[in-house]
Amino acid sequence: MNRGKPTITPLHALTPGQTGDFFALLKERTRGETREAKPYFTCRFGDVRRTVTCMIWFDTPWFALCENDWQEGACYKIRARYQEHERYGAQIELQNIRKATEADRADGFDPAQIVESSRFSADVMFDQLLSSVREEIKNEPLRELVLLLLNRHALQLKELPASEGRYYPFRGGWLEHVVSLSRTSLMLADHYLAQFPDLKPPLNRDLILGGTVLHGIGRVLEFSADVASFQPTVQGRLVGHLLLGRDMIRDAARELGNVPPDVVQLLEHLVLSYLAIPEWGSPRLPMIPEAILLHHAVDLDAKMEMYARCLSRDTNPGPFTVRDPMLGKALLKQRNV
Amino acid sequence: MNRGKPTITPLHALTPGQTGDFFALLKERTRGETREAKPYFTCRFGDVRRTVTCMIWFDTPWFALCENDWQEGACYKIRARYQEHERYGAQIELQNIRKATEADRADGFDPAQIVESSRFSADVMFDQLLSSVREEIKNEPLRELVLLLLNRHALQLKELPASEGRYYPFRGGWLEHVVSLSRTSLMLADHYLAQFPDLKPPLNRDLILGGTVLHGIGRVLEFSADVASFQPTVQGRLVGHLLLGRDMIRDAARELGNVPPDVVQLLEHLVLSYLAIPEWGSPRLPMIPEAILLHHAVDLDAKMEMYARCLSRDTNPGPFTVRDPMLGKALLKQRNV
Amino acid sequence: MNRGKPTITPLHALTPGQTGDFFALLKERTRGETREAKPYFTCRFGDVRRTVTCMIWFDTPWFALCENDWQEGACYKIRARYQEHERYGAQIELQNIRKATEADRADGFDPAQIVESSRFSADVMFDQLLSSVREEIKNEPLRELVLLLLNRHALQLKELPASEGRYYPFRGGWLEHVVSLSRTSLMLADHYLAQFPDLKPPLNRDLILGGTVLHGIGRVLEFSADVASFQPTVQGRLVGHLLLGRDMIRDAARELGNVPPDVVQLLEHLVLSYLAIPEWGSPRLPMIPEAILLHHAVDLDAKMEMYARCLSRDTNPGPFTVRDPMLGKALLKQRNV
Amino acid sequence: MNRGKPTITPLHALTPGQTGDFFALLKERTRGETREAKPYFTCRFGDVRRTVTCMIWFDTPWFALCENDWQEGACYKIRARYQEHERYGAQIELQNIRKATEADRADGFDPAQIVESSRFSADVMFDQLLSSVREEIKNEPLRELVLLLLNRHALQLKELPASEGRYYPFRGGWLEHVVSLSRTSLMLADHYLAQFPDLKPPLNRDLILGGTVLHGIGRVLEFSADVASFQPTVQGRLVGHLLLGRDMIRDAARELGNVPPDVVQLLEHLVLSYLAIPEWGSPRLPMIPEAILLHHAVDLDAKMEMYARCLSRDTNPGPFTVRDPMLGKALLKQRNV
Amino acid sequence: MNRGKPTITPLHALTPGQTGDFFALLKERTRGETREAKPYFTCRFGDVRRTVTCMIWFDTPWFALCENDWQEGACYKIRARYQEHERYGAQIELQNIRKATEADRADGFDPAQIVESSRFSADVMFDQLLSSVREEIKNEPLRELVLLLLNRHALQLKELPASEGRYYPFRGGWLEHVVSLSRTSLMLADHYLAQFPDLKPPLNRDLILGGTVLHGIGRVLEFSADVASFQPTVQGRLVGHLLLGRDMIRDAARELGNVPPDVVQLLEHLVLSYLAIPEWGSPRLPMIPEAILLHHAVDLDAKMEMYARCLSRDTNPGPFTVRDPMLGKALLKQRNV
Amino acid sequence: MNRGKPTITPLHALTPGQTGDFFALLKERTRGETREAKPYFTCRFGDVRRTVTCMIWFDTPWFALCENDWQEGACYKIRARYQEHERYGAQIELQNIRKATEADRADGFDPAQIVESSRFSADVMFDQLLSSVREEIKNEPLRELVLLLLNRHALQLKELPASEGRYYPFRGGWLEHVVSLSRTSLMLADHYLAQFPDLKPPLNRDLILGGTVLHGIGRVLEFSADVASFQPTVQGRLVGHLLLGRDMIRDAARELGNVPPDVVQLLEHLVLSYLAIPEWGSPRLPMIPEAILLHHAVDLDAKMEMYARCLSRDTNPGPFTVRDPMLGKALLKQRNV
């Protein structure tokens, strides 16, 4: 019998008045001031199915911890009493709290239960991506470069969202996006290789797949490395993920030593230009056909996910969804065909 | 022996001083005025390999014809003397001229020798398109609608460019563009059908192919119907090809009578929204996923052709092409990989 | 004595605690979820002078009706108890509800008492418009075309607003707008006919009045046909009122058979270009002087109504109104001259 | 017999080789440099029907005059020999030149023969404008203010164009534009006074006419005062005609002393806001209904003139004019209705 | 003993339930309507450290005063009872109120205790500015012009903010901004005088300092003259501070009579062009180097204050501030270097 | 006597018909085709005072050299016969040509005689810059970093223009720009250090100077390294000088090993954000006050040079310069003050 180790009850399973141990994500931490000018924090913790408020007052032991240590986006192991307040809604009163660690997985800590995640297994997707790179990239040094970066950052790549709140904005989203578009970009590459056979040099299929896989690799440095935490880092904001991704490619190429400079240069150009237009954040215009192909593959894949998510979640009565703030429009929902 | 019927010598094969019969395109007709305020026209006729100037002075018999009848973009059968003037370049002096007709094909009139054309046979491409529609569109009334419009306008669809000077801007360009992207849009449709299986209703593959084939069908009414002539019509300018294409679909659906109204409505919406953004000329935003897929398929196909054409024609010394006015940038030309 | 038929008491005349029968507009229907994840609707019903909240809980008989049948913008006959809740404000408890019908007019159902309406009688305005068309449009087929469309859609044209929330956004607004600007556009047409007599062809006065009357005819299909309901239809959003209006003109012209194609084409062009600029939603640029005249007449009439409404409703202290969100600015209110 | 006074032969009537006296406008003066780095000027003189080149070489007596005194846009009395050079076209060799003066009118100097002018007599238009102001503006101090400015600058107002090359860009254009729109703005004022009778204060008809007449009064200071010369002045460029016009109104109001400050303030606001939108050069947004009415009246009148001029001058073959650079589009020219 | 004169207790020092006399700023006055359609006002009064709500109901003696006389931005002497309501927060019940006057300073009325103010003494800053003008502007009439305007409006210039809510948006802000940038603009002037010695005429140092001091002088007329009140005036909105400042310069120059017209004209141009770009509200583009220098000096000084204020006030946890709505971005806060 | 070594006669000193040896810059090389479809090049060689045309025909020995080896922007030692053709202007006939080398300086090759150069000695400016860095940057590792990059690229930094054709677009322009603004940015840093003493951390003066010196260091890689040749490199176009400059800083910091990461990160941010606005090409927004200061210092310095150059070169008659295409406006030229 496991004495002293209280059972874990998921936050969403607690009943009003019940005290329990659970893992939860710190979704929001906002500082406020009372009328007496005393600071406090309004925190919101949650798992996939329930979000609760937790007030941290100035004169409690949690205040200093909250102010100095807690991070939005991090997961915590919490002991607390759950209540449903008529006016203020679902709340918890803290009794204990510490950051969740990898070791907690043994006790049932599963980020997938806490934050929204991809429908697909991250491990399976990662293996699919590795296979695809191994089989499809014929240029050996380029293949090694891509594999080096994937393997080195495997843990984080399995967790990252594809973007902050725009497309595939959930755990495993980076991987789901890249696996999907590695297929579409290869299909398009093969089609246009056949369609424009006279291009000199011909469309570089290896480069297209390499750029597809690595175009968003900078997210690794843009977001902090904590489990389930996708907070932007200082360099993420000061430099941006495009440039950080290019740095990673350059550094890996130096490390390997045998990647042809031309390949590295064009790979860098893909990363810098796939957003296509300065107004969309692209530092350079696409000057090679591979870059324009990558742009459309990426943008379409992002949009399809946004359309699918908007359509599947909307509960608005009537034939149209509410206006989706990211898409900038309402979508048609009621269709017979 | 074919008496009275002079042999045809292609314009580009005439030597200075030689008089010959040939077919040529009227590429440009510009009105001017002499110092004495007498009007004249500077015309430019050409075939695929040579372009010549032809001055039409006020006091010649050709003036009235030129002013009232000749049309830029039309083909003419011409008898003229060819000259190379030191200062004014290649010129012809007219001796006879009349519009080329279908009957002239018997005498060797071949628009493909006169205006730039697709690398592929229009007949072959058209058959490919018909096959694709027949095999892939499962919805019978929709299939009939698409086939009706293709067959009715077959002659012109085999001639039309895909656009005025932007992408696939040559004879047969419409067909080359549509055949190419009917493949890519089906590939993408199949991929996203598998990627988002929970979408309700699922991505409509028939609709995507139908929209792909018909998105530019309005070019038939936008450009005049003469052989090899791609001059915009009055309605082409007053109304625009998007709306004209939608009219054609609506009229054909009425004619058939059995196309479900929902299918027609969504097909119309594809035609009205595939340009995606009002600034790019789109009257409506894409409100269904099929529309955003079509947008990216069309735009990528157009851009790939523009990149390929720019790269294959540029003769600029150095590693970059000259700035392409349509693409708005120079492309990288000298690559080893 | 009218037994069984309860007297109608207007919603705004009910006193707290009173139960009564009345007609009201469903202004808003928003879906929510309780903490227990049970869905409910917050509805807001109102007449011209009072708006009340009506909660529709999941476990009541009204829920299914509300979810499936009720439509924002439709009028209902309601039996309910009126209350003024200290915290939640004015509310009703439903006892009975059904859609209002034309037949209810016999019992005093008067949309004008329920939704904001034009200051002018719709019937009078409609007659004025018919007279104006009959007297001023000299081209007989064009006159017939305009009259056909007006008469066919008379019922709805007397109800429609001129726009969704921007200008003349009330019952009868379409008619008030069109009657007003049919006068200004004729005045301007006569002035510029005299000012530029050498124009060939001269400014087409018939076309200007025809375009004025029909430029917004597509609103008939953009909004649903229920009494007092101005909800956009599916085709209203997928296609837009400009293109729907052009369809109506084309179909009516086919039906009549004798309208000269040139007249129809220019009328279509007026409808497609009166918004003048793509950024303002115009699919085509105005290519004839009649179109630019129509643009200014329409835009000025809309703006004058917006200025007048903003100035007459504002209750902000000080010399300026609050910033009008539609006009994008505050107006000067306190003036002596 | 008029000895010593040579007859005037209009420039356009001179035959090659003939020497004559004539009046002409200096349309252009461009500095160049010979291969030996010696400066020269290429001048172009003209009357309504002919424009000639006149080279001014460094080592001729005319060079210093040309460099220091001659002004584009000024009229000159010239004695010169006319020639038609095969390569360089129509030219003159100067024998004498001085600026034309008012006194030259006695010898037949008529700017209307030299620069493009309004179809209407400036004197007649000016009288029409005075009458309109006298009859229609009921507020006496405002009427006096308007009349003061008109009368004080009568000479120049009869000459000025309405704009530099955009609308009514010819001698007398200012007056033609203002007379035309003083009619339309009054018609519109009367219509909207009736349409929105509840506006408080009612639409100010006097203010509308006053603003109409004076909205472009600053052109008087924007362009230099020479006969037929419309060169921008230093203050015209440094300050702009809108602000200069407002200065003139303020100064005239001070001079009169009895114009109510509110009237002056609103009149100023009309001048500052009639362009409506900052991107179109408007320093302020229209905050009173009179301003938005004036905006549309002015913009429509300008556009109608531009359409009429484009349509009447175009000689392009085909159904459309060439693209008008000011209107930013081609217009439909071939119409039967 | 001071009988009848109650002691002043600052608003922020009152305890719940206490009645006291104090001075406070009317920060906000919003009109509302009760459910019974009776109007009321929600006012907010405050000093530097506390803000309270004050409800003014329709049937109280204060209503008429509030509606007609009170002005946002004005200071009042108030007698009231202070309370802290659990739900509605800090409130006062009025017992007496009148506008604060200059005479109240004797009783301790000190706007600096009521509204946010510059860190520096307005009197000291004003003297620094006068000294700088006296010593640095060598052109005597220009110097007199600048001093005349400074001295004439000294009282208000010591109170004004530099802008409405953007940069230096507090009492004394105008002066702090101008004193700061009078130093930077002179430094830059001296540098570029040395850097580009061949400029003809050389950079005009007097003009730069004059323009620096007077570029925002129009704020005097843009904001109302009450103590501590920065409400925009009617002319402030109808005309704008740039043009009002230019008027003040022109009028002062007329008054003095000896300022060279060229100097006045260039000074006017500086005022009209220092915002540099039409989109930023500049009526003219900078056409002299002094104007582009002034633009950068002013813009940098404004931005540095905005950065400093944002950084010093932010209390957001984490390395970045919250997004500053005026700057349009978050700033980096946690830095070691 | 120097037998065998012909004297050098500057190109601009040759007289028609004379054959001479000289150094010249290849300013332009354009490929053309004769009527017979034979390729040729039109080259333009020049020194500071004269530019000549040189035709390179297909069948001459120079053709292959020209096609394969010659580079625009490179200097050549040439023997040629100079002629002034009546129709085609100044021309040369090549007799010998080879690229100029450093060794040619012994024979009088002086790029300053051939391409436009800074008024100041590059060596003197470079020493000034080194002194400034040594004295003013107190942070030793940062100082070493800056000095390392300056010294390593000294040769090229003394030659580079500051930009391609916009500001300081001449030999030595990079240095002149950086020396000038290293002074202004330090002055501004000192001023704002005193103005905002409470900033935490205080404005970093070392960082400002470091960022000032290195913000454009990427030009070294953007332009090719040949003497006097400022042709963009492949990486210059594919990556851009901002990112290349950041790479140089990162690589130098790695090399030194002791530069604090925070310092490197902020220095990188300065390079990435000094253009301030994405539309102006800035990949990141300025998130620290040092970046906004640097932005204004750089932009003002660039603009002052553009104004000074425009004003000193313009020869347009009248009070204004011609419109400067880079500044987008005409400047006021005739000023008395």
Side-chain angles (χ1 to χ4, degrees), chain C residues 55-72:
Chain C
M55 302 303 297
I56 305 295
W57 303 105
F58 180 66
D59 46 9
T60 65
W62 311 118
F63 186 84
L65 273 175
C66 175
E67 179 158 43
N68 300 317
D69 293 352
W70 297 358
Q71 292 177 303
E72 293 184 1

Side-chain angles (χ1 to χ4, degrees), chain B residues 19-314:
Chain B
T19 296
D21 291 79
F22 53 87
F23 297 96
L25 177 76
L26 177 52
K27 297 185 161 180
E28 201 185 310
R29 179 185 56 160
T30 312
R31 194 190 180 92
E33 246 178 60
T34 63
R35 237 173 257 135
E36 293 73 38
K38 301 229 170 103
Y40 64 88
F41 287 94
T42 305
C43 296
R44 286 164 60 74
F45 288 97
D47 60 15
V48 170
R49 301 213 216 139
R50 177 183 277 164
T51 298
V52 299
T53 301
C54 176
M55 303 303 297
I56 304 296
W57 304 105
F58 181 69
D59 45 10
T60 65
W62 311 117
F63 186 83
L65 272 175
C66 174
E67 178 158 45
N68 301 318
D69 295 351
W70 296 359
Q71 293 176 304
E72 291 183 1
C75 284
Y76 291 86
K77 185 170 186 196
I78 292 170
R79 173 173 300 167
R81 182 154 176 271
Y82 173 71
Q83 280 184 305
E84 294 187 3
H85 190 281
E86 188 178 350
R87 185 147 151 221
Y88 300 115
Q91 293 200 310
I92 54 170
E93 283 161 34
L94 269 194
Q95 297 178 5
N96 219 337
I97 184 166
R98 67 164 169 76
K99 211 163 189 178
T101 65
E102 280 303 310
D104 287 320
R105 288 183 187 262
D107 294 333
F109 169 43
D110 179 0
Q113 298 297 318
I114 295 179
V115 294
E116 196 198 346
S117 301
S118 169
R119 298 162 290 158
F120 305 109
S121 150
D123 290 332
V124 171
M125 291 192 289
F126 194 73
D127 288 346
Q128 288 172 331
L129 192 57
L130 290 182
S131 302
S132 171
V133 169
R134 281 196 204 102
E135 288 161 25
E136 303 284 359
I137 300 186
K138 309 301 182 200
N139 181 307
E140 189 175 329
L142 175 58
R143 186 172 65 237
E144 291 312 311
L145 174 72
V146 175
L147 291 173
L148 172 70
L149 284 168
L150 285 181
N151 285 317
R152 180 168 290 163
H153 301 286
L155 264 185
Q156 198 171 347
L157 292 176
K158 293 178 184 172
E159 301 282 340
L160 277 173
S163 73
E164 258 186 294
R166 292 185 57 85
Y167 48 93
Y168 295 94
F170 43 72
R171 219 174 131 260
W174 189 93
L175 214 40
E176 187 177 339
H177 181 40
V178 170
V179 167
S180 169
L181 67 88
S182 68
R183 287 173 194 150
T184 56
S185 66
L186 277 185
M187 291 191 311
L188 292 168
D190 288 335
H191 174 77
Y192 286 109
L193 265 165
Q195 178 79 358
F196 297 108
D198 297 334
L199 219 48
K200 287 195 184 16
L203 222 50
N204 191 325
R205 203 176 176 276
D206 285 356
L207 197 60
I208 287 174
L209 185 54
T212 298
V213 176
L214 298 182
H215 82 279
I217 194 74
R219 301 285 187 191
V220 163
L221 299 184
E222 187 190 22
F223 294 112
S224 62
D226 279 316
V227 170
S229 164
F230 308 135
Q231 292 302 298
T233 59
V234 170
Q235 67 178 336
R237 287 221 185 163
L238 288 186
V239 175
H241 83 93
L242 289 183
L243 276 58
L244 293 172
R246 176 176 162 266
D247 291 345
M248 293 168 73
I249 290 169
R250 286 161 56 80
D251 290 347
R254 284 191 199 185
E255 189 177 337
L256 292 175
N258 64 342
V259 194
D262 276 20
V263 168
V264 179
Q265 192 170 56
L266 294 183
L267 200 55
E268 290 179 48
H269 181 65
L270 289 185
V271 171
L272 294 179
S273 70
Y274 82 88
L275 288 176
I277 296 186
E279 295 90 297
W280 298 342
S282 191
R284 308 306 289 173
L285 300 177
M287 295 177 185
I288 56 176
E290 288 86 352
I292 198 74
L293 189 153
L294 182 57
H295 162 67
H296 281 287
V298 171
D299 200 14
L300 173 59
D301 198 72
K303 289 287 180 5
M304 289 302 291
E305 193 275 336
M306 292 164 85
Y307 274 67
R309 190 154 32 92
C310 171
L311 285 168
S312 67
R313 302 211 172 169
D314 187 86

Side-chain angles (χ1 to χ4, degrees), chain C residues 222-276:
Chain C
E222 187 191 21
F223 294 113
S224 64
D226 280 314
V227 171
S229 166
F230 307 135
Q231 291 302 300
T233 59
V234 170
Q235 65 179 338
R237 286 222 184 161
L238 288 187
V239 175
H241 82 94
L242 290 183
L243 275 57
L244 293 172
R246 175 176 163 266
D247 291 344
M248 293 169 74
I249 290 169
R250 286 162 55 82
D251 289 346
R254 283 190 199 183
E255 188 178 338
L256 291 175
N258 66 342
V259 194
D262 275 20
V263 168
V264 179
Q265 190 170 59
L266 294 183
L267 199 55
E268 288 178 48
H269 182 65
L270 288 186
V271 170
L272 293 180
S273 70
Y274 81 88
L275 289 176

Side-chain angles (χ1 to χ4, degrees), chain F residues 13 64 99 105 136 221 229 276 287 300:
Chain F
K99 211 163 190 181
R105 287 185 188 262
E136 302 285 359
L221 299 183
S229 163
M287 295 178 184
L300 174 57

Side-chain angles (χ1 to χ4, degrees), chain C residues 13 22 47 51-52 68 73 102 106 110 133 146 155 188 190-191 215 226 228 241 243 247 254 259 273 301 314 316:
Chain C
F22 54 87
D47 62 13
T51 297
V52 298
N68 300 317
E102 279 303 308
D110 179 0
V133 169
V146 175
L155 265 184
L188 292 168
D190 288 335
H191 174 76
H215 82 279
D226 280 314
H241 82 94
L243 275 57
D247 291 344
R254 283 190 199 183
V259 194
S273 70
D301 199 71
D314 186 84
N316 190 44

